[in-house]
């Protein structure tokens, strides 16, 4: 969904929608499972910067909720996590801060982002909001045993034959020899 400044100048836009998986590109970090719900309000805020200079900011307030899958930090199996968050964001036209002076804005609770040209894409905002709300580290279970460092087996489901101790150099020499014979 695209919010055009010219349309928001006429009146604020309420939105309430369901986004199918893929509508928001989450990259490799997470996969959306089922629909993601998002609703809120987009409006224009005029920043008066001295005589004759008015910057049209877009304020986007809303929330999202959905289910996502992320890889377990130890065994890489997908873990389903529900996420929901609220946001209150301000986007300035990207050229407005070109002179790079620090300007204060009278909305202390909000964060500043930028929009390109004359519109803001809800999907871009949601991508960032979903990625920001992902836990730093997800485990499939608190005592996930992870993958075997040697053979790569998932040790939650498979007891592998690798022993735990430091590898025996004699055995390594032997396995090196073996692979030579094979090739
Ligand atoms: Zn795991
Ligand atoms: Zn192993």
């Amino acid at each position: 969904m695209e919010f055009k400044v010219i349309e928001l100048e006429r009146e604020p836009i309420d939105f309430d929608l369901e986004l199918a998986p893929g509508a928001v590109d989450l990259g490799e970090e997470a996969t959306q499972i089922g629909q993601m719900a998002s609703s809120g309000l987009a409006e224009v805020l005029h920043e008066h910067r001295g005589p004759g200079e008015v910057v049209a900011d877009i304020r986007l307030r809303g929330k999202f909720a959905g289910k996502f899958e992320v890889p377990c930090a130890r065994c890489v199996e997908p873990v389903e996590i529900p996420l929901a968050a609220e946001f209150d964001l301000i986007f300035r036209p990207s050229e407005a801060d070109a002179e790079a002076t620090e300007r204060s804005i009278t909305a202390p609770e909000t964060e500043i982002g930028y929009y390109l040209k004359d519109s803001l894409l809800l999907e871009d905002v949601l991508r960032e909001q979903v990625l920001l709300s992902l836990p730093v580290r997800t485990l499939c279970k608190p005592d996930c045993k992870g993958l075997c460092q040697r053979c790569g087996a998932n040790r939650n489901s498979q007891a592998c034959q690798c022993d735990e101790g430091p590898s025996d150099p004699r055995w390594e020499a032997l396995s090196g020899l073996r692979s030579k014979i094979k090739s």
Side-chain angles (χ1 to χ4, degrees), residues 6-181:
I6 197 161
E7 287 167 12
L8 295 175
E9 292 275 13
R10 280 199 289 271
E11 58 177 346
I13 295 177
D14 266 312
F15 61 94
D16 188 353
L17 31 105
E18 301 259 305
L19 296 112
V24 176
D25 178 12
L26 298 171
E28 303 279 293
E29 287 190 61
T31 308
Q32 185 185 324
I33 308 296
Q35 301 285 94
M36 163 163 47
S38 182
S39 61
L41 180 75
E43 62 191 324
V44 165
L45 284 188
H46 289 123
E47 253 187 280
H48 295 270
R49 296 181 162 185
E53 197 195 349
V54 178
V55 175
D57 294 341
I58 298 177
R59 183 177 190 185
L60 187 65
R61 277 177 281 178
K63 58 187 180 178
F64 75 85
K67 274 186 194 162
F68 301 85
E69 232 172 43
V70 296
C72 168
R74 285 188 199 148
C75 74
V76 216
E77 285 296 308
V79 186
E80 195 175 296
I81 47 170
L83 288 179
E86 294 185 356
F87 48 85
D88 183 351
L89 306 158
I90 287 186
F91 298 88
R92 270 186 195 146
S94 55
E95 67 274 9
D97 286 344
E99 65 239 66
T101 41
E102 274 294 309
R103 312 241 192 190
S104 62
I105 185 157
T106 50
E109 299 295 308
T110 56
E111 295 169 49
I112 303 276
Y114 293 94
Y115 66 87
L116 294 173
K117 292 183 184 157
D118 52 7
S119 70
L120 178 67
L121 266 186
L122 178 64
E123 287 78 1
D124 289 346
V125 176
L126 287 175
R127 172 182 49 232
E128 202 179 316
Q129 293 302 306
V130 169
L131 295 178
L132 280 174
S133 54
L134 286 176
V136 181
R137 187 177 153 83
T138 304
L139 293 177
C140 59
K141 50 185 179 180
D143 60 344
C144 171
K145 296 193 186 84
L147 301 178
C148 170
Q149 301 275 346
R150 301 209 184 149
C151 72
N154 183 341
R155 295 163 77 202
N156 297 305
S157 54
Q158 217 177 322
C160 64
Q161 304 305 312
C162 310
D163 77 60
E164 296 283 326
S167 61
D168 185 328
R170 284 170 301 174
W171 200 89
E172 266 180 12
L174 187 63
S175 75
L177 191 65
R178 239 189 238 161
S179 59
K180 265 185 211 148
I181 293 167

